[in-house]
Each structure stands twice: as structure tokens, then as C-alpha cells.
Amino acid sequence: MPDSQPQQPHSPSPSGPADRGSLLLSGARLTDGRTVDVRLHGGRIEAVGTAGSLTPRRVPGPDGRLDRGGHLDLDGYLLLPAPADPHVHADTALTADVPGPVSYDPEDVQRRATEAALLQLGHGATALRAHVRVGDVAGLGALTAVLRTRRSLRGLAELTAVAMPRVLTGVAGADGLAMLRDAVKMGADVVGGCPDLDPDPTGYVEAVLEVAAEHGCPVDLHTDAADPARLARLAAMAGGLRPGVAVGPCDGLGRLPAEVVSRAADQLAAAGVTVVCLPQGACGASDHPDGTAPVRLLRAAGVRVTAGSGALRDVSNPVGRGDPLEAAHLLASRHGLRPEEAYDAVGAAARSALGLPEVRVEAGFPAELLAVRGDRLAGALSLAYSRIVVHRGRVVARTSAVREYGDSSAASDLGLPRQGRGGRGGRDGHGGPDGRGDMA
């Protein structure tokens, strides 16, 4: 019998009508050690049961007859809620090797933004928050391109845009403030920017919060948080603002005395401000290469900590991967979080910071899922080569990795699995976990 029966649906995802197809995921491992079948329908998880207990749902075919829905064998995979990336730079992605100044021509930006989003979707991120420059050279062209990309990705991933003006105060900031308001009217979902670059950082924050309050938008600010007094003012101004305030990467907190950091963490927690750290390297808005805040201390104080990818192969990080599982891996390997806590920073916490519905592998929840080759979360974060991504109930990306070794008796003598072809796990076309072959 199913362990989890259909429940009343949660609030709908913002990407539009759900995919009405049906898909059965069989033999998947969950983080609690259970092996289950998961049936998806209408963009949601319809039922979860013990392995072998569920069958594909019958759905109307083109001729009106009931046909079985799709079936995907996930034997050997760990099934997780799909990660989200709260901090990407779609407008400058993939420009590290471009000679000369970065082009902000809308066609160029849209091409880069689309390629970057698909790369990150392949990693598993079904929701992305793109920070986009407005004003100066970019004008509103980059934002226009990212909004086009958002529409073109409909049904594949959720893409939201943060409008980021450079200066908002004084005479020089008048144009930036007008352009920020225009950006929101055009469709920017979030009001953002970098107060550290303005001659009056406090005035910049006040301007951003005012525009956000006018339009009911979230706020997302770049800051290294190296000035505790300035951070305290920001927290005081942001407290209670709905639908929420995020700041990042806050790597400057790591260079402050522990008692100062502890006080700042308490202030951020009391104000309900989310911290978005960048374990894979800070973006161009920061002068410091390490974008990771003191995550353990912040979490202990009750601050919601999420992790974004930041730069994806632009001049500030030419080798950026834009991979949420790498971000989680770094939080676990370098910053002392348990694997479950690290994945939460790119999973549940990231989705909550983006205002998205909660995802659990339980009936009634959105079918936003990531299957990773492995049987434990720690192992999945360590390797994470082969991945299957589900958005709104259908497979939208798939990456299969093959590892092969030269002929040797060492593996067979020790009874170790070895990559082969045509084994039981041949659903991927690369062998299976039967002692004769395995998948990376």
C-alpha cells in the first residue's frame, strides 16, 4: 500500500498551467533510507509508496483511450527536492573569454542568459533568481533580454529577475532611481542593487526599500557586510518588510571579531533578513574572492542562510560552475555544515527565500525533483555526476556520466563494481550496479 496518499494541492507554482501528464518514478532511494515509487501527475506528486507498490497512472491518449503514463526506473538514484539558485548573474554569464567590453546588446544577453540557465537546469536548479544590471551602459536592454529568456524557459525552469541600479542617491542617482521604477514596471520581480557602491549606502537602501514597498516587491542587496554599523541600520530598516529582504554575500562578516559577528547575526535574525552566501566564489560586486559568510554562526543565531552560485564564467570567476550541489559540497567540506544542512541551503531554504512553495517527496507537493546517482546524500554531494531533473512533473534535463578503467584484475579480485555495458542498469545505456558495471 502507498505510504503517502494524495493530499489537497498546495498553492500553484508561478510558471503557469501544470504539465498534465503522468510519470512513475520507481525504485528511488530517499534520504531517510527508504526505497520508494513516486507517481507524478498534473505537476505534483500524486502518491508515494514502497518500491513496487505503485503502477503508472492511466491517462487519456490522443485517440481518447486510456494509456499508461511514463515510467522512469531510478534504481541506484537518490531522489531529492530540486535545488534553487537565489543568486545568478545571467547578463554577464559566459563572458570570461570574450575580448573587449561585455556586450549588453539584448540579443547577446538573451543568448548568454539562456545558455547559462540551461546549464544550471542541467545541474538541477529548477528555479533561478538573476541579478541584472540596469542603468549606465546596460540601460534597460539587459533586463529586457532576461525577461525574454524568462518567457522562453517557461515550462523548463522558473527565472526571476532582480533589477540592480548602480547609484540611487544625490544628483547622479536621480536617473538610476527613475530607471529602477521603470524596471519594476517592465516586469522585474525583485528590487536590488549594491549599496556599497553608492556614496550614501544608507540612502541607497532607503531608496530601494521605498520602491519595493511601492510595488510590493522583495528586496535583494549585494553587500560584503564588512561595516557592522551599516549592516545594523540595514537590518533595522528592513525589519518587517514583506515579502522579504535578502542580503549577500556578506563575506565581510568573516573578517570581523566573533562578538561583532554574533551581534550582527542576532540583528539579521530579528529582522527576518535572509543571507545568501556564495561558496563557489564571490561575484563582481565584491572585492574578495571568497563569498562565504560565517554560515554556522549565522544559522545558530536563527538566520535563514541560503547559497547561490554567483558568477558563471565571467571575469570575476572564469571557472564558475553555477552548480548548487557544488555550493552544498563546499558548505559541507569547508564550512562545517552537515550534508543535510548544506543541501537545505540550496534546497528548502533557497526555495523559501525565493517565495516558492515547499517541496517534499510526499503526496501533494510540487513535482520539483532531482535524482542523483548514489544512495546517500554525502555521496551524492561528493560526486553528483549523473542527474535527472524534474520540473512540474516532467523530466526537463538529464546528464549521464560514464567512468571506465583499463583492464585490470584488481577490481575483480576485490569484488568492486566496474563500469560495463549492457548490465542490469542499462536504462542509461551505460551498464548498471550489478557488480559488472556502475554509473558515475
Side-chain angles (χ1 to χ4, degrees), residues 31 80-86 274-277 295 299 302-308 324-325 327-329 331-332 337-354 358-360 377 381:
T31 54
L80 302 164
D85 196 322
T274 296
V275 170
V276 183
C277 65
V295 293
R299 283 176 55 92
V303 178
R304 179 169 59 195
V305 178
T306 71
L325 295 195
H329 160 79
L331 289 177
L337 297 192
R338 293 183 295 107
E340 295 76 14
E341 295 171 334
Y343 192 77
D344 179 77
V346 300
R351 287 187 62 86
S352 180
L354 297 183
E358 181 182 13
V359 174
R360 299 181 193 170
L377 185 56
L381 295 184

Side-chain angles (χ1 to χ4, degrees), residues 113-134:
T114 302
E115 182 180 355
L118 291 175
L119 284 171
Q120 295 188 263
L121 176 63
H123 291 319
T126 62
L128 307 163
R129 176 180 279 185
H131 296 246
V132 186
R133 298 180 186 183
V134 298

Side-chain angles (χ1 to χ4, degrees), residues 309-320:
S309 61
L312 173 56
R313 297 193 345 234
D314 66 18
V315 292
S316 61
N317 187 0
V319 295

